[in-house]
Amino acid sequence: MKKLSSRLGRLVGIGFTSMVLLNSCGNAIPEETEAAAVSDKAFSVEEVLEMVAIENDVTRTLYTKGIVGAGKKQGLKFDEDWQEDKVEAGPLPALFLRGVSSSIRKSSVPLGLYLGSDYPINASNKFEGKQEELFKKIKQNQKPQFFYDSSQKLHTAMFADMAVAAPCVNCHNEHKSTSKTDWKLGDVMGATTWQYPSDSLSYKEAVGVLNAYRNGTKDTYNAYLAEIAAFKDSPKPAIGTVWPSKGFNLPTAEVFIDSVRKLTSYKSLEVLVKKGASVGMIK
Ligand code: HEC
């Protein structure tokens, strides 16, 4: 009985600490955790990149459907050149991801993030070499691919980027620079490539990776809201708790991140709990 309750205690410990990391919008990194006590480098780089890729999937789908898809119906505009002074629009999904990626690059976390394809709109997003080769496998089975890029000395993971919403397909098929016009819902349109220099991470480093991604989302979303605040000729949506599906509104960065958090926490928790089992914390 004692054994069982201590195991449960540890499980709750993991659940609790992961809630802390998932609840923090960036700043609060738990210092002491049970997981850290078990092993200094508790996570393999693959596991951490898998967790941050889940977060990215949720963020990207929510942004594409909830902001771009619903926002367009309300008259909001999204544009490749959204950051140019004369353009009064928000970032396209791919540029939102690029914003997150450059925010991560400015942080102290050595995490790289790119979005590529075999039939890109932007030729510079075309996969080459090893990544091109592995992307063929991803298209076949949609399974993540991992390899060590010895030229860059970086552990690399690639995850399918799926046509999860109608705007993905419509915009790509109709785009003036597209290299493919028959994308369908459910297609593997590309892959996100993630890179990290070491093969294992401490609990704190793993939390750092997730927080860097989440801060990147916050920065990029806030850059969009700042763009709106500076609109001169276009109407400005109300910014608050209401989403564009309910009218001419946009959620604040906090409301947006909060939804991402709710949608990811169960999946990330599953990974952490599995981790607990594999290091012998839970049997
Ligand atoms: C309103 C238009 C629009 C929507 C919606 C959109 N994209 Fe894109 N996407 C673009 C543009 C434009 C680029 C090229 C951006 C650049 O310059 O890197 C791009 C880039 C990409 C790339 C990198 C390869 C390439 O084509 O350059 C992938 C993969 C991709 N998008 C997938 C998706 C998926 C999946 C969705 C839905 C979740 C989506 N896109 C939604 C316009 C769009």
Side-chain angles (χ1 to χ4, degrees):
M1 196 58 204
K2 188 163 176 265
K3 224 173 169 186
L4 176 66
S5 63
S6 87
R7 269 184 209 149
L8 281 176
R10 279 171 181 265
L11 173 59
V12 170
I14 302 178
F16 179 71
T17 48
S18 65
M19 284 309 192
V20 170
L21 84 92
L22 291 161
N23 280 340
S24 63
C25 286
N27 304 328
I29 294 173
E31 293 288 335
E32 294 287 330
T33 67
E34 290 214 25
V38 169
S39 155
D40 190 27
K41 295 283 181 184
F43 294 89
S44 71
V45 65
E46 286 85 1
E47 287 167 322
V48 174
L49 296 182
E50 227 157 327
M51 273 195 271
V52 72
I54 292 173
E55 172 108 5
N56 176 61
D57 272 348
V58 170
T59 306
R60 200 158 149 65
T61 307
L62 198 62
Y63 184 73
T64 306
K65 285 192 186 175
I67 305 292
V68 179
K72 275 183 158 180
K73 290 186 186 144
Q74 300 293 342
L76 288 170
K77 294 195 174 58
F78 297 87
D79 198 286
E80 272 140 83
D81 301 320
W82 72 281
Q83 276 175 314
E84 280 181 19
D85 282 350
K86 57 184 188 312
V87 179
E88 301 199 332
L92 291 178
L95 302 178
F96 192 88
L97 186 138
R98 196 181 294 158
V100 176
S101 161
S102 54
S103 162
I104 297 171
R105 212 174 313 125
K106 286 180 210 141
S107 79
S108 59
V109 174
L111 173 72
L113 165 61
Y114 312 90
L115 180 63
S117 177
D118 51 353
Y119 291 104
I121 288 181
N122 181 336
S124 68
N125 298 331
K126 192 168 188 330
F127 286 131
E128 288 172 355
K130 183 80 179 167
Q131 294 197 31
E132 183 185 11
E133 195 185 308
L134 291 178
F135 183 60
K136 290 194 181 119
K137 288 195 190 167
I138 295 177
K139 282 192 101 159
Q140 280 164 13
N141 62 17
Q142 299 173 19
K143 291 207 177 106
Q145 296 289 328
F146 301 96
F147 71 103
Y148 181 66
D149 183 336
S150 50
S151 63
Q152 298 188 74
K153 295 198 169 58
L154 290 170
H155 295 271
T156 306
M158 294 173 74
F159 298 89
D161 190 53
M162 310 290 296
V164 286
C168 313
V169 169
N170 298 341
C171 183
H172 275 249
N173 285 344
E174 288 158 18
H175 196 277
K176 60 182 186 313
S177 314
T178 193
S179 51
K180 181 172 156 69
T181 54
D182 58 352
W183 293 110
K184 297 184 298 302
L185 262 183
D187 278 353
V188 180
M189 290 181 73
T192 50
T193 300
W194 303 79
Q195 297 189 301
Y196 196 82
S198 50
D199 66 353
S200 53
L201 289 82
S202 67
Y203 192 89
K204 193 171 171 177
E205 286 165 333
V207 171
V209 164
L210 289 169
N211 278 342
Y213 183 90
R214 198 159 286 179
N215 284 334
T217 302
K218 203 155 89 180
D219 288 350
T220 310
Y221 192 87
N222 276 328
Y224 173 35
L225 296 185
E227 172 83 16
I228 291 175
F231 278 3
K232 290 197 183 75
D233 303 320
S234 315
K236 300 179 187 181
I239 318 282
T241 55
V242 190
W243 290 70
S245 59
K246 301 259 162 54
F248 196 52
N249 310 293
L250 274 179
T252 61
E254 288 68 31
V255 170
F256 183 81
I257 300 254
D258 199 47
S259 299
V260 172
R261 199 190 69 215
K262 282 187 185 124
L263 292 165
T264 33
S265 55
Y266 294 105
K267 287 186 181 172
S268 298
L269 194 59
E270 223 173 86
V271 179
L272 286 167
V273 169
K274 257 194 225 154
K275 178 75 226 166
S278 72
V279 298
M281 293 174 69
I282 313 156
K283 286 202 183 105

